[in-house]
Amino acid sequence: MDNGPEFIAKITQQWSEMHQIKFQYTQPGKPTQNAFIERFNGSYRRGVLDKYIFEDINQVREQTMIWLEDYNNIRPHKSLGNMAPVPYAKFNSFEGTL
């Protein structure tokens, strides 16, 4: 868990403890411990937040849903053999093959 300037990590830690989830902070100066989230956040920032000027939160939500649809279902990801995550998961699923 990143303990950034928002100080929401304390609330998240309390929630985690209530639900018996082990809570761990990312060590300062170790962004690679959070590499997948950092990569996603960068993609989201470039694909939505830096791309548009929003007038209200509903516009942010609408563009986010459009971006997520593309990111998860259409856009190829090199790490997944140039497949989008949802088709990749379906292709590699063992459900229904037994």
Side-chain angles (χ1 to χ4, degrees):
M1 175 61 61
D2 187 1
N3 193 20
E6 305 84 18
F7 296 109
I8 62 167
K10 183 74 172 166
I11 295 167
T12 306
Q13 180 183 16
Q14 292 168 349
W15 180 89
S16 297
E17 288 172 358
M18 286 176 21
H19 293 87
Q20 299 176 346
I21 298 170
K22 186 177 180 183
F23 189 87
Q24 293 182 318
Y25 287 100
T26 302
Q27 291 175 302
K30 303 280 186 180
T32 56
Q33 291 179 340
N34 204 14
F36 293 112
I37 294 299
E38 294 297 329
R39 169 82 173 160
F40 177 82
N41 287 346
S43 296
Y44 176 71
R45 188 180 324 100
R46 287 185 301 277
V48 178
L49 300 177
D50 292 347
K51 199 171 183 179
Y52 303 98
I53 297 174
F54 300 104
E55 294 183 17
D56 59 49
I57 191 69
N58 290 325
Q59 289 179 342
V60 177
R61 289 179 178 140
E62 181 179 342
Q63 286 303 318
T64 296
M65 294 308 296
I66 292 168
W67 181 81
L68 281 172
E69 174 67 24
D70 179 66
Y71 185 89
N72 288 321
N73 294 291
I74 299 167
R75 189 185 115 195
H77 295 243
K78 269 188 194 177
S79 63
L80 302 177
N82 289 320
M83 292 180 76
V86 171
Y88 179 85
K90 288 178 182 175
F91 180 78
N92 290 294
S93 174
F94 291 103
E95 289 183 38
T97 60
L98 297 177

